[in-house]
Amino acid sequence: MPTQYTPLANSSYLDYDSYRTGALSPTGTGATGNFTINVALVLDRANDPTALLHSNWGTRQQQLEALNDSGTLWSTYGANQANYNQVLTELGQLGIPTVDQLDPVNGYVSSAASRTIWVQVDHTNFATLFGTPLVLGHDQAGHAVTYWQGNLSLPQGLAALGVKGLWFDTDMFGTVLQPSVGGSLAAPSQGAQGIGNSAPRGDFALYPQDIVQNYYNFPLSGALWDPSSGRAVTTGTIGLLEPGVGNELGPNTPASEFQSLLNAYRQTVGISTPGEVTTIALGGQATPGSGERSLDVGVATAINPQSPLVLYAGSGWHQHAHSDAYTAYQAAIWDTVNNPEVVSSSYRFGTTLAAPGSPFLFAADQLFVDAALRSITILTSGGDGGSGGWTGDGITNVITTRGSFYDLLVGGTSLSTLAAAGADPTLAAILTAAMAGDPATIWDLVAGGLTALPASAGPGSHFAEAVWNTYALNGTTFANNGYFGNLAGAGGVDSSRPVPSYQADFGLSPTTADPAALMGRGMPDVSAASGGNMFYSVPQIFMNGLHAGGGTSAAAPLWAALVSQFNAIFHDQGLPRLGYMNDLLYIAAAIAPASFNDVTLGNNVSSFALGGAFSDADTGTAITPTGFGYRAGPGYDLATGLGSPNGLLLARALTDIAHSQIWFSSIADVIDSNGHGGWTSGADQSLLFQTMSDAVTHVGVHLGPDAFGFFSKAGASFAWTSRMAEQSLQADFDPALVVLFDKQAQGSVAEAHLQPGEALAVSINASPAQAIQAGLSSSFGFADFLSGDGAVRVARPVAVAETADGHNDQTAIVRLRQGGQDDLSITFYRVDDLSGTINGLHPDDAGYLAARQSRAYQMTSGGSSITGPGYGHYEQTALSHVNAGDLVAMQLTNNTHGNSYSAFAQANETLNGQHVGHLWNYGLNTWGWEDTLGGGDHDYNDMIVQLDFTSAAGHGWIA
Ligand SMILES: [Ca+2]
Ligand SMILES: [Ca+2]
Ligand SMILES: [Ca+2]
């Protein structure tokens, strides 16, 4: 009986690698020559893990740990073993050999757990497996193309057994484009296409650890980084994907040579111990040298000298293997010997533009699901081809095959020191304004990570960070190899899949910046220095000497090393390892925005069509720039994601979130969704209603059947934000910046008491305001109601002590930054409920003062109050004997004027018949005080206070 075939939906040649290019299918039916290709047949999972992976991180990691410990993880989420075996049997009947049968030692992963069977097909049996032959034809431009007509099919039995995905380990197939489509000309400006990328190339290159310790505040620095200190933290294994390359240095070079060159590089950058490196290359490795490999290794080993590295060559070159990056991902994810906990790839898949619903995208997506299920954090370089993605189809392109929700995508920036800014004409205007002390300019730079007043800062201090974009136009010619080159951070929207929940919850609706305006997964998630005005001093291609390397290829291993540091800290605090953690990053950005440096400068605009009046300098290829692309801006943007890391602040936020999700899920949120787009109070609680707007606004607050309203004054231009307040709580933040931005009035703050379940709505100027990120922040003490006219933050005036691992008798770190000129002191005390009650006494009752004194926490610095560090300055102390779930309130005393203020407005003085609120919430357990009777200048920064209940845990590395 002839074999019956089941077509695979969306598996045409255009679905393979030409999503959205607008090209027509190739034509022609010529005979191909001889060929041999290895193909992955990817089975469906026995059970769908989506619900598990969409639960919050704490639930997810605990369940995965339990499944793994019981040995049932892969019988649950791998392929059905009987189906898998039957597929092997049927392949045998069809005469299709598996690669394992041809060579039991190969570079592929075939197993029921990985749901993958690698088989080999050639010109004699391609049609036996796929129901249609490969043919030789040509595309619209007349280039020869080996392709298939219509959809691929599979023998009915294989399809019925759940074979759903395909991956070809070959470069025979590729993207098809329309010839000379022209596109609309968007006349680009002459010269640099970006800003902040034009310092002389290579003048600013540093050792990787110096970049991350000086500019990204990585948590492990100094003795915690240096292996010779005896105190260096042991960080986990990092997997680096080096398909086809591994540790190869040339045909006559022994593997020991790689080890000694690695050690020599470590010596050069100041690491006295040898590196630990393993190479997995069962299918061979042939490329004699690789700048990419040397860059990955250099970045990872210099930042995390204690992390063992494993290099994955993937399928290699034996048995017709072609070392597609897909095979290296599989090798790393399924390495149950070395078990890398973090895996970084700077290689793109051979297939970059697979269509939604295609078996190719299915295969790619399920790789990242495997990684998430194995609790591996996978990081991928966002790509270096700007918004066009090297593809001359006129529109914006991102690599769909790497767009998985479970992949952490890393984009590119150009980081400028003060010295680099001086050498970059595109930054001249910003530098001049900053040196002259222009507050607006400096305010934006602080949001980008600046911590010192430029006029008095050293030449190596952080100045600015922009989108990495070194494209430049001279007449009608683009320098280097133009938009085909690796010169700008990729970024944009993968419309082949929906918006991930972590981006939707953040309030994003990423939309392509081309006429199609399609929504999808925004990329990148995060970013880091990739070139322009900052390069990495890393080994050259043969691992000897030094070279100034860059690209998002450097940013990905940088972030991998950071996640590995986070894992070490998580382990030290008794937390599970991070694994898939994209959602935690978006929560951190929502509740502790200073966890990221916000990149607001530059663009990655570099989309183009083939043909036209422009060309690149090297090849002369004619192109037409179409002007589509993405610009950086405040907050998340499609050129740099959430921004570059402030590693220490991000570590604190992530550990806090993790302990909260695992140990304190039963603590009532500030507000809960009512299921119909509205909100209810999560508890019996007092709440602050603080208005943030640059204009006078009327705020309406609707509580159950009641309502109240108030007019809020306009906030000043540099009224402190959560980001600014949190940044000021870094010990090295320049007091001059605190003074420069002091006395900037906030809008008005009101206070109200709510019952649990009571409806809550907020309007601004009579328009309903939406609590867009409330799902992320409401477990952490606040929720912002936003409208076009401003925002109202609803926040608790007390902290819930969500201690590490839910332990009692803990130490809580207190961080203080004083933005007031008077002599101030502060005390912390325990209350019985979220309205500040103590033994039935309310904050405005007689006798409360004495009750409060009896509940005061002892400071580790002595006594029950702490005196402020003085105007502009920073101080850190701690509370002792804090128990899990303690409700911590505070009071401020102005010793200069002899006044005390309560966190609860009803206990404070009145002005025009209203009690004066003296407290302002600045995000995760962070508040600011107004120190003057009647509200003074309303700047609420006279004492910035942060309570940190988790960072003293373990060795206290991030305290
Ligand atoms: Ca931004
Ligand atoms: Ca003040
Ligand atoms: Ca002040």
Side-chain angles (χ1 to χ4, degrees):
M1 202 174 96
T3 307
Q4 300 292 307
Y5 286 90
T6 304
L8 292 168
N10 307 305
S11 66
S12 76
Y13 189 72
L14 292 179
D15 291 323
Y16 178 70
D17 200 9
S18 304
Y19 173 54
R20 294 183 75 216
T21 66
L24 301 178
S25 177
T27 51
T29 54
T32 66
N34 294 358
F35 64 85
T36 305
I37 310 172
N38 297 330
V39 186
L41 302 181
V42 180
L43 278 76
D44 206 359
R45 295 179 193 277
N47 294 282
D48 183 357
T50 307
L52 169 60
L53 294 177
H54 283 203
S55 61
N56 79 22
W57 177 89
T59 305
R60 183 164 79 224
Q61 292 312 107
Q62 288 179 294
Q63 286 191 17
L64 287 173
E65 223 167 47
L67 282 164
N68 198 46
D69 291 349
S70 68
T72 54
L73 182 56
W74 298 107
S75 56
T76 308
Y77 293 121
N80 175 295
Q81 182 75 51
N83 287 359
Y84 186 88
N85 295 344
Q86 187 60 28
V87 170
L88 287 172
T89 301
E90 300 207 4
L91 285 166
Q93 289 161 359
L94 291 161
I96 306 286
T98 66
V99 180
D100 285 347
Q101 288 167 336
L102 297 167
D103 180 0
V105 180
N106 60 69
Y108 293 104
V109 174
S110 293
S111 65
S114 69
R115 303 155 295 101
T116 308
I117 299 169
W118 282 93
V119 301
Q120 195 165 86
V121 294
D122 61 21
H123 45 282
T124 68
N125 63 5
F126 187 92
T128 308
L129 186 57
F130 294 117
T132 187
L134 284 185
V135 293
L136 185 62
H138 54 83
D139 66 12
Q140 289 164 272
H143 303 121
V145 179
T146 301
Y147 75 110
W148 60 89
Q149 296 181 301
N151 279 332
L152 297 173
S153 299
L154 285 173
Q156 214 169 51
L158 297 188
L161 288 164
V163 177
K164 284 177 73 175
L166 297 176
W167 198 267
F168 294 104
D169 186 16
T170 180
D171 62 0
M172 279 175 71
F173 313 130
T175 306
V176 194
L177 296 171
Q178 300 179 69
S180 300
V181 65
S184 323
L185 178 68
S189 53
Q190 290 293 312
Q193 300 296 290
I195 183 173
N197 281 262
S198 296
R201 188 192 152 112
D203 277 13
F204 300 93
L206 295 173
Y207 298 140
Q209 81 272 20
D210 291 335
I211 292 176
V212 302
Q213 294 177 16
N214 293 344
Y215 307 114
Y216 294 144
N217 201 19
F218 270 32
L220 303 184
S221 63
L224 297 181
W225 168 83
D226 182 358
S228 71
S229 74
R231 289 181 50 214
V233 173
T234 301
T235 45
T237 301
I238 299 175
L240 298 172
L241 304 195
E242 311 297 344
V245 177
N247 66 356
E248 184 72 36
L249 291 169
N252 300 313
T253 312
S256 60
E257 181 69 8
F258 187 89
Q259 179 72 58
S260 46
L261 289 168
L262 171 66
N263 293 347
Y265 172 71
R266 288 165 64 98
Q267 289 283 347
T268 302
V269 305
I271 301 166
S272 56
T273 56
E276 193 178 332
V277 63
T278 305
T279 302
I280 308 295
L282 296 175
Q285 48 187 34
T287 307
S290 162
E292 179 63 68
R293 183 266 319 275
S294 302
L295 174 65
D296 295 344
V297 168
V299 167
T301 206
I303 296 174
N304 279 17
Q306 303 269 87
S307 277
L309 304 181
V310 188
L311 313 184
Y312 294 95
S315 64
W317 307 100
H318 297 170
Q319 275 299 341
H320 301 277
H322 210 81
S323 294
D324 191 274
Y326 181 98
T327 67
Y329 274 94
Q330 273 201 318
I333 293 166
W334 293 101
D335 179 359
T336 53
V337 174
N338 298 291
N339 279 311
E341 55 185 39
V342 176
V343 170
S344 174
S345 172
S346 298
Y347 286 83
R348 53 186 142 143
F349 291 135
T351 307
T352 58
L353 297 174
S358 67
F360 322 112
L361 199 60
F362 176 85
D365 276 354
Q366 296 305 315
L367 267 186
F368 296 98
V369 173
D370 285 339
L373 291 171
R374 286 213 357 102
S375 292
I376 294 170
T377 310
I378 285 255
L379 301 100
T380 299
S381 63
D384 297 357
S387 68
W390 316 279
T391 306
D393 56 8
I395 57 172
T396 62
N397 298 287
V398 294
I399 298 174
T400 65
T401 42
R402 302 194 304 198
S404 166
F405 295 178
Y406 312 109
D407 192 9
L408 178 54
L409 289 155
V410 185
T413 66
S414 168
L415 177 70
S416 298
T417 61
L418 200 53
D424 181 344
T426 68
L427 289 174
I430 292 174
L431 181 63
T432 301
M435 295 303 273
D438 175 53
T441 301
I442 294 172
W443 181 258
D444 289 346
L445 294 172
V446 169
L450 180 105
T451 55
L453 195 67
S456 51
S461 69
H462 175 113
F463 182 72
E465 198 163 6
V467 182
W468 173 47
N469 180 350
T470 50
Y471 291 120
L473 181 63
N474 179 12
T476 57
T477 306
F478 283 94
N480 303 321
N481 52 359
Y483 286 167
F484 296 99
N486 289 333
L487 296 172
V493 180
D494 177 3
S495 57
S496 76
R497 61 190 83 238
V499 181
S501 53
Y502 48 79
Q503 293 186 332
D505 292 347
F506 198 74
L508 303 176
S509 37
T511 306
T512 60
D514 49 46
L518 300 174
M519 271 176 50
R521 190 229 200 280
M523 12 173 110
D525 296 299
V526 296
S527 53
S530 296
N533 291 0
M534 180 62 73
F535 287 85
Y536 299 79
S537 280
V538 291
Q540 297 176 17
I541 59 170
F542 291 102
M543 284 298 291
N544 55 343
L546 284 180
H547 145 91
T552 60
S553 296
L558 179 155
W559 266 93
L562 179 59
V563 173
S564 173
Q565 295 192 4
F566 292 158
N567 269 335
I569 294 161
F570 269 50
H571 182 72
D572 189 49
Q573 294 193 1
L575 291 164
R577 78 185 197 193
L578 278 154
Y580 156 55
M581 46 88 82
N582 291 19
D583 48 351
L584 293 193
L585 295 172
Y586 286 81
I587 299 172
I591 66 173
S595 302
F596 295 90
N597 304 313
D598 189 7
V599 180
T600 58
L601 295 169
N603 70 82
N604 73 357
V605 176
S606 48
S607 300
F608 65 101
L610 295 178
F614 291 79
S615 65
D616 69 73
D618 287 358
T619 67
T621 306
I623 64 161
T624 298
T626 53
F628 303 128
Y630 302 91
R631 285 170 178 76
Y636 180 94
D637 60 64
L638 293 166
T640 63
L642 296 168
S644 63
N646 184 318
L648 181 61
L649 299 192
L650 182 54
R652 289 178 187 153
L654 293 175
T655 45
D656 184 287
I657 297 163
H659 288 294
S660 177
Q661 289 189 350
I662 290 182
W663 297 99
F664 296 95
S665 58
S666 64
I667 299 277
D669 290 347
V670 174
I671 56 173
D672 297 316
S673 166
N674 69 2
H676 309 286
W679 300 92
T680 59
S681 172
D684 189 319
Q685 57 189 340
S686 289
L687 291 177
L688 308 172
F689 291 81
Q690 46 193 60
T691 311
M692 299 171 280
S693 174
D694 55 10
V696 174
T697 51
H698 182 265
V699 174
V701 178
H702 309 269
L703 306 170
D706 304 323
F708 67 92
F710 58 92
F711 281 97
S712 173
K713 290 181 199 153
S717 304
F718 310 113
W720 280 33
T721 57
S722 294
R723 179 186 294 282
M724 176 69 179
E726 289 162 21
Q727 281 188 307
S728 81
L729 293 169
Q730 303 179 93
D732 64 351
F733 193 82
D734 189 345
L737 292 169
V738 175
V739 172
L740 176 64
F741 295 110
D742 191 24
K743 306 183 199 301
Q744 297 281 325
Q746 299 284 6
S748 301
V749 58
E751 192 177 305
H753 182 262
L754 281 78
Q755 303 293 330
E758 188 173 1
L760 170 65
V762 174
S763 65
I764 301 175
N765 294 340
S767 302
Q770 309 297 329
I772 290 163
Q773 293 183 343
L776 303 184
S777 69
S778 200
S779 299
F780 301 94
F782 71 99
D784 290 344
F785 285 80
L786 306 168
S787 87
D789 289 343
V792 173
R793 173 165 295 183
V794 178
R796 288 182 181 153
V798 298
V800 182
E802 300 191 334
T803 54
D805 305 315
H807 286 151
N808 289 330
D809 198 14
Q810 297 292 291
T811 297
I813 308 291
V814 180
R815 301 187 181 91
L816 302 171
R817 174 71 68 168
Q818 187 168 339
Q821 289 163 284
D822 290 346
D823 173 12
L824 305 176
S825 60
I826 191 159
T827 59
F828 300 86
Y829 60 99
R830 185 171 58 83
V831 295
D832 295 334
D833 60 29
L834 294 166
S835 301
T837 305
I838 300 175
N839 293 331
L841 293 171
H842 300 290
D844 53 342
D845 286 344
Y848 188 81
L849 211 63
R852 186 168 72 186
Q853 218 44 49
S854 73
R855 290 285 189 83
Y857 287 95
Q858 291 296 304
M859 305 280 181
T860 54
S861 46
S864 61
S865 80
I866 176 89
T867 304
Y871 190 39
H873 292 284
Y874 175 78
E875 183 168 9
Q876 185 165 323
T877 180
L879 311 182
S880 48
H881 309 304
V882 177
N883 289 333
D886 272 7
L887 303 176
V888 184
M890 53 185 161
Q891 72 155 343
L892 181 82
T893 300
N894 184 324
N895 300 302
T896 304
H897 295 286
N899 299 311
S900 274
Y901 304 108
S902 171
F904 307 97
Q906 82 249 38
N908 291 335
E909 77 281 12
T910 56
L911 186 69
N912 304 325
Q914 299 287 321
H915 288 283
V916 178
H918 280 263
L919 194 68
W920 193 273
N921 175 278
Y922 288 111
L924 178 60
N925 290 335
T926 305
W927 290 269
W929 284 96
E930 174 51 57
D931 68 1
T932 302
L933 201 67
D937 58 8
H938 281 267
D939 64 358
Y940 293 91
N941 75 343
D942 302 325
M943 186 76 92
I944 303 286
V945 185
Q946 182 176 66
L947 287 165
D948 176 347
F949 297 105
T950 54
S951 293
H955 287 83
W957 291 325
I958 58 172

